[in-house]
Amino acid sequence: AQSVTQLGSHVSVSEGALVLLRCNYSSSVPPYLFWYVQYPNQGLQLLLKYTSAATLVKGINGFEAEFKKSETSFHLTKPSAHMSDAAEYFCAVSDNTDKLIFGTGTRLQVFP
Amino acid sequence: SAVISQKPSRDICQRGTSLTIQCQVDSQVTMMFWYRQQPGQSLTLIATANQGSEATYESGFVIDKFPISRPNLTFSTLTVSNMSPEDSSIYLCGLGGGPGSYNEQFFGPGTRLTVL
Protein backbone atom coordinates (compact mmCIF):
# COMPACT_ATOMS: atom_id res chain seq x y z
CA ALA A 1 0.00 0.00 0.00
CA GLN A 2 1.17 3.50 -0.70
CA SER A 3 2.04 6.01 1.99
CA VAL A 4 3.51 9.47 2.38
CA THR A 5 5.85 10.85 5.02
CA GLN A 6 6.36 14.54 5.51
CA LEU A 7 9.38 15.34 7.65
CA GLY A 8 8.87 18.35 9.85
CA SER A 9 5.42 19.37 10.97
CA HIS A 10 6.57 22.99 11.19
CA VAL A 11 9.04 24.90 9.06
CA SER A 12 9.97 28.53 9.66
CA VAL A 13 11.86 30.70 7.19
CA SER A 14 12.59 34.36 6.76
CA GLU A 15 11.03 36.28 3.92
CA GLY A 16 13.27 35.90 0.88
CA ALA A 17 14.84 32.67 2.09
CA LEU A 18 14.68 29.29 0.41
CA VAL A 19 11.68 27.12 1.21
CA LEU A 20 12.22 23.36 1.39
CA LEU A 21 9.39 21.05 2.43
CA ARG A 22 10.20 17.36 2.47
CA CYS A 23 8.07 14.48 1.24
CA ASN A 24 8.96 10.82 0.90
CA TYR A 25 6.59 8.26 -0.53
CA SER A 26 6.12 4.55 -0.62
CA SER A 27 4.35 2.92 -3.53
CA SER A 28 4.42 -0.48 -5.16
CA VAL A 29 3.82 1.00 -8.60
CA PRO A 30 4.98 4.21 -10.29
CA PRO A 31 3.09 6.86 -8.38
CA TYR A 32 1.35 10.06 -9.13
CA LEU A 33 2.44 12.69 -6.60
CA PHE A 34 0.86 15.96 -5.59
CA TRP A 35 1.45 18.96 -3.40
CA TYR A 36 -1.55 20.85 -2.05
CA VAL A 37 -1.67 24.08 -0.05
CA GLN A 38 -4.28 25.01 2.53
CA TYR A 39 -4.55 28.62 3.59
CA PRO A 40 -6.25 29.37 6.92
CA ASN A 41 -9.95 28.59 6.90
CA GLN A 42 -9.90 27.46 3.29
CA GLY A 43 -10.01 24.23 1.33
CA LEU A 44 -7.06 22.62 -0.43
CA GLN A 45 -5.58 24.03 -3.60
CA LEU A 46 -3.43 22.00 -5.97
CA LEU A 47 0.10 23.43 -6.22
CA LEU A 48 1.62 20.92 -8.62
CA LYS A 49 1.61 17.29 -9.68
CA TYR A 50 4.05 14.67 -10.92
CA THR A 51 2.72 12.32 -13.58
CA SER A 52 5.98 10.85 -14.98
CA ALA A 53 6.25 13.34 -17.85
CA ALA A 54 9.13 15.26 -16.25
CA THR A 55 10.99 14.82 -12.98
CA LEU A 56 11.12 18.56 -12.25
CA VAL A 57 7.62 19.92 -11.92
CA LYS A 58 6.76 23.58 -11.79
CA GLY A 59 3.63 24.73 -10.06
CA ILE A 60 1.81 27.87 -9.13
CA ASN A 61 3.16 30.72 -7.00
CA GLY A 62 6.79 29.95 -7.88
CA PHE A 63 6.86 26.51 -6.29
CA GLU A 64 8.50 23.48 -7.86
CA ALA A 65 9.19 19.89 -6.87
CA GLU A 66 11.61 17.26 -8.07
CA PHE A 67 10.76 13.58 -8.30
CA LYS A 68 13.71 11.40 -7.29
CA LYS A 69 12.93 7.74 -7.71
CA SER A 70 16.20 6.58 -6.13
CA GLU A 71 15.36 8.52 -2.98
CA THR A 72 11.57 8.00 -3.18
CA SER A 73 11.26 11.72 -2.59
CA PHE A 74 9.21 14.59 -3.95
CA HIS A 75 10.41 17.65 -2.03
CA LEU A 76 8.78 21.03 -2.57
CA THR A 77 10.94 24.12 -2.98
CA LYS A 78 10.64 27.82 -3.62
CA PRO A 79 13.74 29.99 -4.06
CA SER A 80 12.42 33.00 -2.18
CA ALA A 81 9.69 32.87 0.44
CA HIS A 82 6.96 35.46 0.58
CA MET A 83 4.78 36.31 3.54
CA SER A 84 1.76 35.09 1.59
CA ASP A 85 3.27 31.58 1.42
CA ALA A 86 2.43 30.98 5.08
CA ALA A 87 0.04 28.04 5.02
CA GLU A 88 -0.25 24.28 5.55
CA TYR A 89 1.25 22.13 2.80
CA PHE A 90 0.24 18.54 2.11
CA CYS A 91 1.99 15.96 -0.01
CA ALA A 92 -0.21 13.22 -1.48
CA VAL A 93 0.29 10.04 -3.47
CA SER A 94 -1.94 8.04 -5.76
CA ASP A 95 -1.20 4.86 -7.64
CA ASN A 96 -3.52 3.12 -10.05
CA THR A 97 -6.63 3.76 -7.97
CA ASP A 98 -8.68 6.93 -7.76
CA LYS A 99 -7.74 7.59 -4.15
CA LEU A 100 -5.28 10.04 -2.67
CA ILE A 101 -3.24 9.29 0.42
CA PHE A 102 -2.16 12.43 2.24
CA GLY A 103 0.84 13.12 4.40
CA THR A 104 0.47 14.68 7.82
CA GLY A 105 1.17 18.17 6.54
CA THR A 106 3.82 20.83 7.14
CA ARG A 107 2.95 24.25 8.47
CA LEU A 108 5.11 26.92 6.87
CA GLN A 109 5.72 30.15 8.77
CA VAL A 110 7.38 33.09 7.09
CA PHE A 111 8.96 35.80 9.21
CA PRO A 112 9.67 39.33 7.99
CA SER B 1 -11.89 23.80 -13.27
CA ALA B 2 -15.21 23.10 -11.58
CA VAL B 3 -16.63 25.42 -8.95
CA ILE B 4 -17.38 23.55 -5.74
CA SER B 5 -19.56 24.86 -2.95
CA GLN B 6 -20.32 23.37 0.43
CA LYS B 7 -23.09 24.16 2.86
CA PRO B 8 -22.95 25.00 5.66
CA SER B 9 -19.52 26.57 5.82
CA ARG B 10 -19.48 26.04 9.57
CA ASP B 11 -21.78 24.92 12.32
CA ILE B 12 -21.86 24.34 16.05
CA CYS B 13 -23.97 21.37 17.07
CA GLN B 14 -25.03 19.63 20.22
CA ARG B 15 -23.97 16.13 21.15
CA GLY B 16 -26.37 13.46 19.88
CA THR B 17 -27.71 15.46 16.95
CA SER B 18 -27.03 15.00 13.24
CA LEU B 19 -25.82 17.40 10.57
CA THR B 20 -26.09 17.05 6.80
CA ILE B 21 -23.42 18.69 4.69
CA GLN B 22 -24.04 19.46 1.04
CA CYS B 23 -21.55 19.53 -1.80
CA GLN B 24 -22.63 21.15 -5.07
CA VAL B 25 -20.59 21.28 -8.26
CA ASP B 26 -21.27 23.44 -11.28
CA SER B 27 -20.53 20.64 -13.76
CA GLN B 28 -20.96 16.90 -13.91
CA VAL B 29 -18.20 14.89 -12.29
CA THR B 30 -17.71 11.16 -12.08
CA MET B 31 -15.77 10.80 -8.86
CA MET B 32 -16.72 12.51 -5.60
CA PHE B 33 -15.11 11.86 -2.26
CA TRP B 34 -15.71 12.89 1.34
CA TYR B 35 -12.80 13.58 3.68
CA ARG B 36 -12.42 14.41 7.34
CA GLN B 37 -9.70 16.68 8.66
CA GLN B 38 -9.50 16.55 12.43
CA PRO B 39 -7.93 19.52 14.23
CA GLY B 40 -4.26 19.81 13.36
CA GLN B 41 -4.40 16.62 11.30
CA SER B 42 -4.23 15.60 7.70
CA LEU B 43 -7.08 14.53 5.46
CA THR B 44 -8.59 11.10 5.91
CA LEU B 45 -10.84 9.64 3.25
CA ILE B 46 -14.26 8.70 4.62
CA ALA B 47 -15.86 7.31 1.49
CA THR B 48 -16.29 7.51 -2.25
CA ALA B 49 -19.73 8.80 -3.18
CA ASN B 50 -21.11 6.71 -6.04
CA GLN B 51 -23.86 8.12 -8.21
CA GLY B 52 -27.01 6.05 -7.94
CA SER B 53 -25.58 3.46 -5.58
CA GLU B 54 -24.28 3.05 -2.06
CA ALA B 55 -21.09 4.82 -1.13
CA THR B 56 -17.85 2.90 -0.71
CA TYR B 57 -16.53 3.40 2.81
CA GLU B 58 -12.94 3.25 3.99
CA SER B 59 -11.83 1.17 6.91
CA GLY B 60 -13.02 2.67 10.17
CA PHE B 61 -16.01 4.48 8.69
CA VAL B 62 -19.53 3.04 8.52
CA ILE B 63 -22.72 3.99 6.76
CA ASP B 64 -24.74 4.27 9.97
CA LYS B 65 -22.44 7.01 11.23
CA PHE B 66 -21.75 8.76 7.91
CA PRO B 67 -24.62 8.15 5.48
CA ILE B 68 -23.90 9.57 2.04
CA SER B 69 -26.20 10.33 -0.85
CA ARG B 70 -25.26 11.01 -4.48
CA PRO B 71 -28.48 11.49 -6.43
CA ASN B 72 -26.77 12.90 -9.53
CA LEU B 73 -23.39 13.86 -10.96
CA THR B 74 -23.36 17.38 -9.49
CA PHE B 75 -24.51 16.90 -5.91
CA SER B 76 -23.75 14.85 -2.82
CA THR B 77 -24.51 14.98 0.88
CA LEU B 78 -22.69 13.65 3.91
CA THR B 79 -24.53 13.26 7.20
CA VAL B 80 -22.67 13.08 10.47
CA SER B 81 -25.02 11.15 12.75
CA ASN B 82 -25.34 11.04 16.52
CA MET B 83 -22.49 13.45 16.90
CA SER B 84 -19.95 13.53 19.70
CA PRO B 85 -17.17 16.04 20.38
CA GLU B 86 -14.77 13.66 18.60
CA ASP B 87 -16.60 14.45 15.37
CA SER B 88 -15.43 18.06 15.51
CA SER B 89 -13.52 18.39 12.26
CA ILE B 90 -13.44 20.00 8.88
CA TYR B 91 -15.33 17.94 6.32
CA LEU B 92 -14.33 18.36 2.70
CA CYS B 93 -15.71 17.06 -0.54
CA GLY B 94 -13.25 16.26 -3.27
CA LEU B 95 -13.76 15.80 -6.98
CA GLY B 96 -11.81 13.44 -9.14
CA GLY B 97 -10.37 15.06 -12.21
CA GLY B 98 -11.75 12.40 -14.49
CA PRO B 99 -10.06 10.46 -17.31
CA GLY B 100 -6.55 11.67 -18.04
CA SER B 101 -6.34 13.66 -14.82
CA TYR B 102 -3.74 11.38 -13.17
CA ASN B 103 -6.04 11.08 -10.16
CA GLU B 104 -5.68 14.70 -9.07
CA GLN B 105 -8.55 15.96 -6.97
CA PHE B 106 -10.10 19.34 -6.41
CA PHE B 107 -11.61 20.33 -3.12
CA GLY B 108 -14.49 22.34 -1.82
CA PRO B 109 -13.97 25.03 0.83
CA GLY B 110 -14.89 22.65 3.63
CA THR B 111 -17.42 22.60 6.45
CA ARG B 112 -16.04 23.37 9.88
CA LEU B 113 -18.02 21.42 12.47
CA THR B 114 -17.81 21.91 16.21
CA VAL B 115 -19.70 19.51 18.48
CA LEU B 116 -20.32 20.58 22.05
Side-chain angles (χ1 to χ4, degrees):
Chain A
Q2 65 271 42
S3 65
V4 173
T5 301
Q6 290 185 243
L7 294 176
S9 59
H10 290 83
V11 171
S12 297
V13 300
S14 299
E15 192 173 22
L18 171 72
V19 175
L20 171 62
L21 305 182
R22 298 178 186 275
C23 173
N24 289 88
Y25 70 91
S26 173
S27 179
S28 57
V29 298
Y32 300 137
L33 293 158
F34 308 88
W35 275 100
Y36 285 87
V37 60
Q38 185 178 35
Y39 297 103
N41 300 314
Q42 295 187 27
L44 272 71
Q45 180 181 6
L46 180 66
L47 269 179
L48 49 80
K49 62 184 178 185
Y50 167 75
T51 61
S52 78
T55 56
L56 182 62
V57 181
K58 294 186 184 298
I60 62 172
N61 301 338
F63 284 93
E64 61 182 36
E66 185 173 8
F67 173 74
K68 292 187 177 181
K69 184 178 179 180
S70 61
E71 299 177 7
T72 60
S73 68
F74 190 56
H75 301 332
L76 182 71
T77 60
K78 182 174 181 178
S80 177
H82 193 273
M83 296 293 291
S84 61
D85 294 326
E88 187 90 18
Y89 292 81
F90 293 96
C91 183
V93 64
S94 178
D95 51 22
N96 53 2
T97 70
D98 296 310
K99 300 176 185 177
L100 291 183
I101 305 298
F102 285 87
T104 51
T106 298
R107 181 168 299 278
L108 175 66
Q109 287 185 304
V110 182
F111 293 101
Chain B
S1 60
V3 176
I4 311 164
S5 60
Q6 282 188 236
K7 291 181 181 179
S9 58
R10 59 177 62 231
D11 207 342
I12 301 174
C13 300
Q14 296 297 319
R15 181 196 301 261
T17 63
S18 298
L19 176 72
T20 295
I21 301 167
Q22 300 178 3
C23 179
Q24 178 75 55
V25 189
D26 68 345
S27 59
Q28 294 186 340
V29 294
T30 304
M31 305 297 295
M32 290 183 77
F33 306 89
W34 285 100
Y35 290 84
R36 180 176 72 182
Q37 186 179 19
Q38 293 177 300
Q41 304 294 316
S42 186
L43 278 73
T44 302
L45 180 63
I46 297 172
T48 302
N50 301 308
Q51 192 266 328
S53 65
E54 192 171 287
T56 304
Y57 289 85
E58 297 300 304
S59 175
F61 297 96
V62 295
I63 188 171
D64 290 346
K65 176 66 176 178
F66 296 103
I68 289 171
S69 77
R70 178 98 190 267
N72 55 53
L73 294 177
T74 65
F75 185 78
S76 179
T77 66
L78 167 74
T79 299
V80 186
S81 303
N82 187 26
M83 288 184 285
S84 67
E86 291 72 33
D87 294 318
S88 297
S89 296
I90 300 173
Y91 292 86
L92 298 108
C93 70
L95 311 182
S101 71
Y102 303 102
N103 297 340
E104 68 189 60
Q105 292 184 20
F106 302 95
F107 291 88
T111 295
R112 187 178 297 270
L113 170 62
T114 301
V115 183
L116 302 178

